[in-house]
Amino acid sequence: MKIQFSPISYIKPKNNSEKKHFNFIQYNHNLNFDTVSFTGKTTLTQQIKELPNSAFLSDGLRNYIMNNISQKNIVDLHKEYYAPLMYCNTLDEAKKLYPEFLNVVDINDIDLNKTNNRTVKKIANGEIKGLNKENASLIFLQKYIGRLEPLKGNEEQYFNINYHTMDGLLKYLNISMDKDYKDIIKKHRMSQARKNIWQNEDFKQRALTERKTPKARQKHSQAALLMWQNEQYRQKRIIEKQSRKNKTE
């Protein structure tokens, strides 16, 4: 569906004081996919920049994201780029506006006598409330691409069509996104969900209270030691510590 157009080293802490000042709960609170993790993974922004051109639905989308990724996240930028798609009334309008959708199949053009797709037949026969053969392909395009509405666990938004059936139907209609591109969107959403959880005061207080138990302290100590065994993470923490020290001198 892509069309080119433009609109390990292991080092232990030197002394107990370094471990003593390590706050695992605080680190877990701040950890998200848009920061450098202790495992050495690149930032989410860097992962986006390293995606091949073919991972984007079009050159236009890629350029828009690359030009603005330092100010906004990929989900917001993707939705901004495809915002006009939400105002299209027909699939033909969408194709004129976004040439990357030229190969999307219009259910209205399918010969029902030659297809074995039962869901397509149900839609064409008006058996699924809210869908018909004239609007279904456009609606799916708007939901899946335009709004980035996930399939899994979101059946209600897809007219109660189950995940596996909907996934197969989108493939049948040539509505798809690159796997690596979808993975980055998933990572961003996971990161946001984690942030939202930690913004809940009740959750934070429970977590801090649980942290004070002997079992939790032992678990956190073991996790901290494991993290310190990673050279990249350890060096990062040492640099941060030295930077704070220099500021106070």
Side-chain angles (χ1 to χ4, degrees), residues 5 69 74 141 195 237 243:
F5 92 115
I69 195 60
I74 188 171
L141 186 64
K195 288 180 181 178
R237 296 294 294 183
S243 178

Side-chain angles (χ1 to χ4, degrees), residues 117-146:
N117 192 300
R118 295 195 303 173
T119 308
V120 166
K121 290 182 177 181
K122 285 183 178 182
I123 292 172
N125 292 328
E127 297 176 33
I128 300 179
K129 186 177 180 180
L131 294 175
N132 57 58
K133 61 182 182 180
E134 286 80 20
N135 68 13
S137 293
L138 175 63
I139 288 177
F140 294 146
L141 186 64
Q142 290 171 330
K143 285 180 173 290
Y144 189 69
I145 302 294

Side-chain angles (χ1 to χ4, degrees), residues 152 155 161-169:
K152 210 162 200 175
E155 285 85 355
I161 300 173
N162 71 63
Y163 163 70
H164 293 292
T165 300
M166 194 65 229
D167 184 54
L169 179 57

Side-chain angles (χ1 to χ4, degrees), residues 70-86:
S70 60
Q71 288 81 38
K72 296 183 179 181
N73 65 73
I74 188 171
V75 171
D76 287 345
L77 291 173
H78 179 104
K79 289 181 178 180
E80 285 179 7
Y81 185 80
Y82 286 114
L85 176 63
M86 300 301 105

